[in-house]
mmCIF file of all heavy atoms in Angstrom:
data_model
loop_
_atom_site.group_PDB
_atom_site.id
_atom_site.type_symbol
_atom_site.label_atom_id
_atom_site.label_comp_id
_atom_site.label_asym_id
_atom_site.label_seq_id
_atom_site.Cartn_x
_atom_site.Cartn_y
_atom_site.Cartn_z
ATOM 1 N N ASN A 1 177.472 -49.910 -67.744
ATOM 2 C CA ASN A 1 177.513 -49.858 -69.215
ATOM 3 C C ASN A 1 177.484 -51.388 -69.591
ATOM 4 O O ASN A 1 178.588 -52.007 -69.626
ATOM 5 C CB ASN A 1 178.729 -49.161 -69.751
ATOM 6 C CG ASN A 1 178.598 -49.029 -71.254
ATOM 7 O OD1 ASN A 1 178.508 -49.982 -71.944
ATOM 8 N ND2 ASN A 1 178.818 -47.906 -71.797
ATOM 9 N N LEU A 2 176.312 -51.802 -69.981
ATOM 10 C CA LEU A 2 176.169 -53.349 -70.237
ATOM 11 C C LEU A 2 177.138 -53.848 -71.492
ATOM 12 O O LEU A 2 177.732 -54.896 -71.301
ATOM 13 C CB LEU A 2 174.747 -53.639 -70.620
ATOM 14 C CG LEU A 2 174.452 -55.187 -70.666
ATOM 15 C CD1 LEU A 2 174.883 -55.946 -69.516
ATOM 16 C CD2 LEU A 2 173.127 -55.419 -71.180
ATOM 17 N N ASP A 3 177.281 -52.990 -72.424
ATOM 18 C CA ASP A 3 178.093 -53.351 -73.596
ATOM 19 C C ASP A 3 179.593 -53.554 -73.150
ATOM 20 O O ASP A 3 180.314 -54.577 -73.399
ATOM 21 C CB ASP A 3 178.063 -52.441 -74.721
ATOM 22 C CG ASP A 3 176.716 -52.500 -75.434
ATOM 23 O OD1 ASP A 3 176.013 -53.544 -75.415
ATOM 24 O OD2 ASP A 3 176.307 -51.449 -76.059
ATOM 25 N N ASN A 4 180.074 -52.528 -72.411
ATOM 26 C CA ASN A 4 181.456 -52.581 -71.894
ATOM 27 C C ASN A 4 181.663 -53.769 -70.953
ATOM 28 O O ASN A 4 182.554 -54.466 -70.896
ATOM 29 C CB ASN A 4 181.800 -51.328 -71.174
ATOM 30 C CG ASN A 4 182.005 -50.131 -72.069
ATOM 31 O OD1 ASN A 4 181.837 -50.328 -73.269
ATOM 32 N ND2 ASN A 4 182.123 -48.970 -71.448
ATOM 33 N N PHE A 5 180.603 -53.935 -70.090
ATOM 34 C CA PHE A 5 180.696 -55.064 -69.119
ATOM 35 C C PHE A 5 180.903 -56.329 -69.776
ATOM 36 O O PHE A 5 181.699 -57.211 -69.348
ATOM 37 C CB PHE A 5 179.433 -54.931 -68.208
ATOM 38 C CG PHE A 5 179.410 -55.723 -66.954
ATOM 39 C CD1 PHE A 5 179.743 -55.350 -65.740
ATOM 40 C CD2 PHE A 5 178.984 -57.210 -67.182
ATOM 41 C CE1 PHE A 5 179.667 -56.194 -64.609
ATOM 42 C CE2 PHE A 5 178.946 -58.023 -66.022
ATOM 43 C CZ PHE A 5 179.336 -57.495 -64.701
ATOM 44 N N LEU A 6 179.968 -56.658 -70.719
ATOM 45 C CA LEU A 6 179.852 -58.005 -71.365
ATOM 46 C C LEU A 6 181.238 -58.174 -72.182
ATOM 47 O O LEU A 6 181.798 -59.264 -72.180
ATOM 48 C CB LEU A 6 178.754 -58.055 -72.313
ATOM 49 C CG LEU A 6 177.320 -58.193 -71.528
ATOM 50 C CD1 LEU A 6 176.277 -58.291 -72.618
ATOM 51 C CD2 LEU A 6 177.305 -59.199 -70.485
ATOM 52 N N ALA A 7 181.668 -57.117 -72.872
ATOM 53 C CA ALA A 7 182.849 -57.308 -73.634
ATOM 54 C C ALA A 7 184.082 -57.658 -72.723
ATOM 55 O O ALA A 7 184.922 -58.438 -73.033
ATOM 56 C CB ALA A 7 183.138 -55.933 -74.391
ATOM 57 N N ASP A 8 184.066 -57.059 -71.604
ATOM 58 C CA ASP A 8 185.165 -57.156 -70.649
ATOM 59 C C ASP A 8 185.187 -58.608 -70.068
ATOM 60 O O ASP A 8 186.138 -59.310 -69.965
ATOM 61 C CB ASP A 8 185.031 -56.152 -69.534
ATOM 62 C CG ASP A 8 186.326 -55.908 -68.769
ATOM 63 O OD1 ASP A 8 187.251 -55.252 -69.097
ATOM 64 O OD2 ASP A 8 186.364 -56.502 -67.502
ATOM 65 N N PHE A 9 183.975 -59.097 -69.675
ATOM 66 C CA PHE A 9 183.901 -60.423 -69.085
ATOM 67 C C PHE A 9 184.003 -61.484 -70.144
ATOM 68 O O PHE A 9 184.673 -62.519 -69.780
ATOM 69 C CB PHE A 9 182.526 -60.572 -68.432
ATOM 70 C CG PHE A 9 182.430 -60.172 -66.898
ATOM 71 C CD1 PHE A 9 182.446 -58.874 -66.631
ATOM 72 C CD2 PHE A 9 182.458 -61.036 -65.958
ATOM 73 C CE1 PHE A 9 182.348 -58.353 -65.327
ATOM 74 C CE2 PHE A 9 182.399 -60.659 -64.619
ATOM 75 C CZ PHE A 9 182.444 -59.205 -64.345
ATOM 76 N N ASN A 10 183.662 -61.226 -71.336
ATOM 77 C CA ASN A 10 183.826 -62.189 -72.438
ATOM 78 C C ASN A 10 185.299 -62.378 -72.654
ATOM 79 O O ASN A 10 185.783 -63.498 -73.062
ATOM 80 C CB ASN A 10 183.111 -61.747 -73.771
ATOM 81 C CG ASN A 10 181.598 -61.931 -73.599
ATOM 82 O OD1 ASN A 10 181.114 -62.654 -72.748
ATOM 83 N ND2 ASN A 10 180.858 -61.158 -74.443
ATOM 84 N N LYS A 11 186.073 -61.286 -72.616
ATOM 85 C CA LYS A 11 187.556 -61.489 -72.788
ATOM 86 C C LYS A 11 188.174 -62.404 -71.775
ATOM 87 O O LYS A 11 189.005 -63.271 -72.190
ATOM 88 C CB LYS A 11 188.265 -60.149 -72.661
ATOM 89 C CG LYS A 11 189.631 -59.986 -73.208
ATOM 90 C CD LYS A 11 190.114 -58.549 -73.264
ATOM 91 C CE LYS A 11 191.412 -58.508 -73.801
ATOM 92 N NZ LYS A 11 192.015 -57.021 -73.910
ATOM 93 N N THR A 12 187.713 -62.344 -70.561
ATOM 94 C CA THR A 12 188.139 -63.457 -69.557
ATOM 95 C C THR A 12 187.705 -64.848 -69.872
ATOM 96 O O THR A 12 188.421 -65.739 -69.750
ATOM 97 C CB THR A 12 187.777 -63.009 -68.135
ATOM 98 O OG1 THR A 12 188.374 -61.821 -67.811
ATOM 99 C CG2 THR A 12 188.201 -64.026 -67.051
ATOM 100 N N ASP A 13 186.382 -64.845 -70.437
ATOM 101 C CA ASP A 13 185.738 -66.273 -70.685
ATOM 102 C C ASP A 13 186.688 -66.989 -71.798
ATOM 103 O O ASP A 13 187.085 -68.105 -71.782
ATOM 104 C CB ASP A 13 184.426 -66.053 -71.301
ATOM 105 C CG ASP A 13 183.360 -66.009 -70.225
ATOM 106 O OD1 ASP A 13 183.706 -66.593 -69.119
ATOM 107 O OD2 ASP A 13 182.245 -65.633 -70.519
ATOM 108 N N GLU A 14 187.100 -66.057 -72.765
ATOM 109 C CA GLU A 14 187.853 -66.570 -73.972
ATOM 110 C C GLU A 14 189.293 -67.009 -73.269
ATOM 111 O O GLU A 14 189.792 -68.041 -73.755
ATOM 112 C CB GLU A 14 188.092 -65.574 -74.988
ATOM 113 C CG GLU A 14 186.788 -65.330 -75.757
ATOM 114 C CD GLU A 14 186.213 -66.581 -76.408
ATOM 115 O OE1 GLU A 14 187.108 -67.355 -77.022
ATOM 116 O OE2 GLU A 14 185.043 -66.849 -76.310
ATOM 117 N N LEU A 15 189.902 -66.334 -72.523
ATOM 118 C CA LEU A 15 191.241 -66.660 -71.918
ATOM 119 C C LEU A 15 191.018 -68.064 -71.093
ATOM 120 O O LEU A 15 191.874 -68.770 -71.104
ATOM 121 C CB LEU A 15 191.648 -65.517 -70.887
ATOM 122 C CG LEU A 15 192.905 -65.777 -70.175
ATOM 123 C CD1 LEU A 15 194.027 -65.959 -71.087
ATOM 124 C CD2 LEU A 15 193.221 -64.585 -69.240
ATOM 125 N N LEU A 16 189.957 -68.149 -70.366
ATOM 126 C CA LEU A 16 189.650 -69.358 -69.590
ATOM 127 C C LEU A 16 189.695 -70.675 -70.515
ATOM 128 O O LEU A 16 190.075 -71.742 -70.266
ATOM 129 C CB LEU A 16 188.527 -69.250 -68.705
ATOM 130 C CG LEU A 16 188.643 -68.360 -67.407
ATOM 131 C CD1 LEU A 16 187.377 -68.100 -66.764
ATOM 132 C CD2 LEU A 16 189.790 -68.841 -66.490
ATOM 133 N N LYS A 17 188.946 -70.434 -71.666
ATOM 134 C CA LYS A 17 188.881 -71.457 -72.671
ATOM 135 C C LYS A 17 190.161 -71.876 -73.214
ATOM 136 O O LYS A 17 190.511 -73.076 -73.480
ATOM 137 C CB LYS A 17 187.890 -71.018 -73.770
ATOM 138 C CG LYS A 17 186.459 -71.049 -73.464
ATOM 139 C CD LYS A 17 185.552 -70.791 -74.512
ATOM 140 C CE LYS A 17 184.014 -70.617 -74.308
ATOM 141 N NZ LYS A 17 183.512 -71.864 -73.644
ATOM 142 N N GLU A 18 191.017 -70.864 -73.365
ATOM 143 C CA GLU A 18 192.401 -71.103 -73.847
ATOM 144 C C GLU A 18 193.125 -71.923 -72.766
ATOM 145 O O GLU A 18 193.958 -72.861 -73.110
ATOM 146 C CB GLU A 18 193.130 -69.838 -74.161
ATOM 147 C CG GLU A 18 192.679 -69.011 -75.328
ATOM 148 C CD GLU A 18 193.478 -67.633 -75.347
ATOM 149 O OE1 GLU A 18 194.480 -67.599 -74.769
ATOM 150 O OE2 GLU A 18 192.865 -66.846 -76.151
ATOM 151 N N ILE A 19 192.912 -71.749 -71.527
ATOM 152 C CA ILE A 19 193.643 -72.387 -70.457
ATOM 153 C C ILE A 19 193.088 -73.886 -70.276
ATOM 154 O O ILE A 19 193.850 -74.671 -70.002
ATOM 155 C CB ILE A 19 193.711 -71.517 -69.134
ATOM 156 C CG1 ILE A 19 194.453 -70.179 -69.380
ATOM 157 C CG2 ILE A 19 194.246 -72.273 -68.025
ATOM 158 C CD1 ILE A 19 194.144 -69.125 -68.260
ATOM 159 N N LEU A 20 191.751 -73.874 -70.083
ATOM 160 C CA LEU A 20 191.026 -75.087 -69.582
ATOM 161 C C LEU A 20 190.448 -75.832 -70.718
ATOM 162 O O LEU A 20 189.964 -76.927 -70.437
ATOM 163 C CB LEU A 20 190.061 -74.641 -68.616
ATOM 164 C CG LEU A 20 190.558 -73.880 -67.220
ATOM 165 C CD1 LEU A 20 189.501 -73.614 -66.350
ATOM 166 C CD2 LEU A 20 191.569 -74.930 -66.616
ATOM 167 N N GLY A 21 190.537 -75.321 -71.830
ATOM 168 C CA GLY A 21 189.893 -76.084 -73.034
ATOM 169 C C GLY A 21 188.653 -75.518 -73.562
ATOM 170 O O GLY A 21 187.872 -74.822 -72.800
ATOM 171 N N PRO A 22 188.233 -75.834 -74.794
ATOM 172 C CA PRO A 22 187.069 -75.240 -75.413
ATOM 173 C C PRO A 22 185.841 -75.746 -74.721
ATOM 174 O O PRO A 22 184.771 -75.092 -74.984
ATOM 175 C CB PRO A 22 187.135 -75.809 -76.835
ATOM 176 C CG PRO A 22 188.008 -76.921 -76.784
ATOM 177 C CD PRO A 22 189.002 -76.760 -75.750
ATOM 178 N N TYR A 23 185.806 -76.760 -73.962
ATOM 179 C CA TYR A 23 184.635 -77.320 -73.341
ATOM 180 C C TYR A 23 184.278 -76.628 -72.025
ATOM 181 O O TYR A 23 183.141 -76.945 -71.381
ATOM 182 C CB TYR A 23 184.585 -78.772 -73.095
ATOM 183 C CG TYR A 23 184.562 -79.586 -74.512
ATOM 184 C CD1 TYR A 23 185.806 -80.167 -75.071
ATOM 185 C CD2 TYR A 23 183.370 -79.706 -75.270
ATOM 186 C CE1 TYR A 23 185.601 -80.866 -76.263
ATOM 187 C CE2 TYR A 23 183.278 -80.340 -76.412
ATOM 188 C CZ TYR A 23 184.432 -80.880 -76.850
ATOM 189 O OH TYR A 23 184.319 -81.541 -78.020
ATOM 190 N N PHE A 24 185.173 -75.738 -71.601
ATOM 191 C CA PHE A 24 184.894 -75.092 -70.249
ATOM 192 C C PHE A 24 184.106 -73.862 -70.511
ATOM 193 O O PHE A 24 184.308 -73.046 -71.449
ATOM 194 C CB PHE A 24 186.229 -74.653 -69.655
ATOM 195 C CG PHE A 24 186.108 -73.946 -68.338
ATOM 196 C CD1 PHE A 24 185.687 -74.532 -67.263
ATOM 197 C CD2 PHE A 24 186.142 -72.532 -68.308
ATOM 198 C CE1 PHE A 24 185.557 -73.718 -66.000
ATOM 199 C CE2 PHE A 24 185.822 -71.749 -67.191
ATOM 200 C CZ PHE A 24 185.496 -72.351 -66.029
ATOM 201 N N SER A 25 183.193 -73.457 -69.539
ATOM 202 C CA SER A 25 182.605 -72.278 -69.458
ATOM 203 C C SER A 25 182.199 -72.040 -67.934
ATOM 204 O O SER A 25 182.134 -73.047 -67.156
ATOM 205 C CB SER A 25 181.342 -72.210 -70.327
ATOM 206 O OG SER A 25 180.252 -73.150 -69.954
ATOM 207 N N THR A 26 181.787 -70.890 -67.574
ATOM 208 C CA THR A 26 181.230 -70.671 -66.297
ATOM 209 C C THR A 26 180.014 -69.823 -66.481
ATOM 210 O O THR A 26 179.933 -68.939 -67.271
ATOM 211 C CB THR A 26 182.306 -69.969 -65.339
ATOM 212 O OG1 THR A 26 181.629 -69.803 -64.017
ATOM 213 C CG2 THR A 26 182.799 -68.583 -65.890
ATOM 214 N N ARG A 27 179.070 -70.036 -65.692
ATOM 215 C CA ARG A 27 177.839 -69.241 -65.646
ATOM 216 C C ARG A 27 177.760 -68.327 -64.418
ATOM 217 O O ARG A 27 176.834 -67.653 -64.168
ATOM 218 C CB ARG A 27 176.524 -70.114 -65.685
ATOM 219 C CG ARG A 27 176.388 -70.979 -64.441
ATOM 220 C CD ARG A 27 175.060 -71.611 -64.585
ATOM 221 N NE ARG A 27 174.675 -72.263 -63.301
ATOM 222 C CZ ARG A 27 173.423 -72.317 -62.821
ATOM 223 N NH1 ARG A 27 172.426 -71.774 -63.473
ATOM 224 N NH2 ARG A 27 173.213 -72.933 -61.691
ATOM 225 N N VAL A 28 178.953 -68.356 -63.544
ATOM 226 C CA VAL A 28 178.950 -67.472 -62.345
ATOM 227 C C VAL A 28 179.924 -66.403 -62.483
ATOM 228 O O VAL A 28 181.009 -66.519 -62.860
ATOM 229 C CB VAL A 28 179.474 -68.473 -61.211
ATOM 230 C CG1 VAL A 28 179.440 -67.685 -59.972
ATOM 231 C CG2 VAL A 28 178.600 -69.650 -61.081
ATOM 232 N N ILE A 29 179.418 -65.255 -62.186
ATOM 233 C CA ILE A 29 180.372 -64.039 -62.167
ATOM 234 C C ILE A 29 180.287 -63.288 -60.909
ATOM 235 O O ILE A 29 179.333 -63.478 -60.032
ATOM 236 C CB ILE A 29 179.746 -63.067 -63.404
ATOM 237 C CG1 ILE A 29 178.518 -62.419 -62.935
ATOM 238 C CG2 ILE A 29 179.791 -63.813 -64.681
ATOM 239 C CD1 ILE A 29 178.116 -61.183 -63.761
ATOM 240 N N ARG A 30 181.080 -62.525 -60.600
ATOM 241 C CA ARG A 30 181.209 -61.523 -59.561
ATOM 242 C C ARG A 30 181.507 -60.101 -59.988
ATOM 243 O O ARG A 30 182.480 -59.854 -60.750
ATOM 244 C CB ARG A 30 182.050 -61.895 -58.342
ATOM 245 C CG ARG A 30 182.154 -60.924 -57.236
ATOM 246 C CD ARG A 30 182.860 -61.438 -56.002
ATOM 247 N NE ARG A 30 181.999 -62.314 -55.181
ATOM 248 C CZ ARG A 30 182.430 -63.056 -54.351
ATOM 249 N NH1 ARG A 30 183.696 -63.204 -53.997
ATOM 250 N NH2 ARG A 30 181.665 -63.935 -53.570
ATOM 251 N N CYS A 31 180.600 -59.164 -59.819
ATOM 252 C CA CYS A 31 180.736 -57.768 -60.354
ATOM 253 C C CYS A 31 181.897 -57.184 -59.529
ATOM 254 O O CYS A 31 181.720 -57.100 -58.353
ATOM 255 C CB CYS A 31 179.493 -57.078 -60.235
ATOM 256 S SG CYS A 31 178.092 -57.665 -61.172
ATOM 257 N N PRO A 32 182.897 -56.682 -60.133
ATOM 258 C CA PRO A 32 183.890 -55.894 -59.385
ATOM 259 C C PRO A 32 183.189 -54.737 -58.508
ATOM 260 O O PRO A 32 182.356 -54.039 -59.067
ATOM 261 C CB PRO A 32 184.763 -55.234 -60.398
ATOM 262 C CG PRO A 32 184.684 -56.309 -61.566
ATOM 263 C CD PRO A 32 183.272 -56.667 -61.639
ATOM 264 N N GLY A 33 183.571 -54.756 -57.317
ATOM 265 C CA GLY A 33 182.876 -53.796 -56.252
ATOM 266 C C GLY A 33 181.488 -54.239 -55.790
ATOM 267 O O GLY A 33 180.970 -53.677 -54.896
ATOM 268 N N GLY A 34 181.080 -55.474 -56.411
ATOM 269 C CA GLY A 34 179.840 -56.065 -55.784
ATOM 270 C C GLY A 34 178.666 -55.519 -56.686
ATOM 271 O O GLY A 34 178.472 -54.404 -56.959
#
């Protein structure tokens, strides 16, 4: 479910920006389960 997937991953992206700063992003993902 692409909508659920992107919403879930975006939530972690926002958390990482809170931790590492607004200039951080990652273009690398790993799908749970592969």
Side-chain angles (χ1 to χ4, degrees):
N1 183 310
L2 184 61
D3 290 339
N4 291 355
F5 189 96
L6 294 179
D8 200 79
F9 273 73
N10 287 339
K11 196 170 181 180
T12 296
D13 274 338
E14 290 304 313
L15 179 59
L16 290 174
K17 286 184 187 300
E18 290 176 17
I19 297 168
L20 298 174
Y23 291 103
F24 175 82
S25 65
T26 179
R27 67 176 190 142
V28 183
I29 69 168
R30 175 169 281 166
C31 301

